[in-house]
Amino acid sequence: MSTVTRAQLAETIYAQVGLSRNESADLLEAVLERISTALEAGESVKISGFGTFSVRQKGRRIGRNPKTGVEVPILPRRVLVFRPSQVLKGTVNGEVVDDDGEDS
Amino acid sequence: MTKSELIAALAEANPHLTGKDVETIVATIFDQISLALARGERVELRGFGAFTIKQRLARTGRNPRTGEAVPVDEKVVPFFKAGKELRSRVNKGAARTEPTRG
């Protein structure tokens, strides 16, 4: 499967906005960094038409080493979850979805 | 944080850009990720995470209200897996706000 990376995204910004390649890459990084900082603070990030990144608190539970069967405590932790919007779910299935079809 | 708050914060930090430019940049990023997924490609942003699609087989669902069986077609769903760095940043945020005991 072909993979899109920072380089291609920055190249598209460069082509669409007319910033320098360097600045396009910096702006992409700034976007990812802002999102990361908000999530780090436990805040949800909602990108309409795309999806919502949110942080979920997981409680302490007892896990098991599947190889040895030994019980190990899994400490409380926070995990990141991404919920795609209706628009994105439609797009990946080749549908054209109205923006109003977006879930909250 | 919403998309418009993200745009506003970036515009403030980059006064040499117009609000419209910043809007285009943010829209371009998410549009390109969506389009790549629609082409069946994966988007990998090291440190942040990877967007991929997962295949879901056709199944028989049920209308939860009536209990009626409804066929659900095969489909693909978007999936995001946080990168190592982001995963640990999110979890460290927890350590700061809720110190874990022993």
Side-chain angles (χ1 to χ4, degrees), chain A residues 15-60:
Chain A
Q16 304 251 321
V17 190
L19 299 177
S20 72
R21 281 198 164 84
N22 259 335
E23 204 177 5
S24 300
D26 289 350
L27 261 300
L28 169 61
E29 217 44 58
V31 168
L32 299 179
E33 183 51 37
R34 294 262 170 188
I35 296 174
S36 304
T37 306
L39 293 169
E40 193 175 4
E43 201 188 328
S44 294
V45 177
K46 186 181 171 188
I47 308 294
S48 67
F50 188 76
T52 303
F53 299 89
S54 50
V55 177
R56 195 169 287 170
Q57 178 73 45
K58 299 273 193 175
R60 184 195 152 98

Side-chain angles (χ1 to χ4, degrees), chain B residues 5-44:
Chain B
E5 287 164 357
L6 173 64
I7 291 168
L10 288 162
E12 201 180 346
N14 295 276
H16 60 295
L17 298 177
T18 67
K20 188 102 184 72
D21 283 343
V22 177
E23 231 179 283
T24 308
I25 291 164
V26 172
T28 300
I29 294 170
F30 294 108
D31 286 352
Q32 290 304 311
I33 296 174
S34 304
L35 291 171
L37 294 176
R39 292 192 301 265
E41 295 175 16
R42 78 185 240 123
V43 179
E44 187 177 320

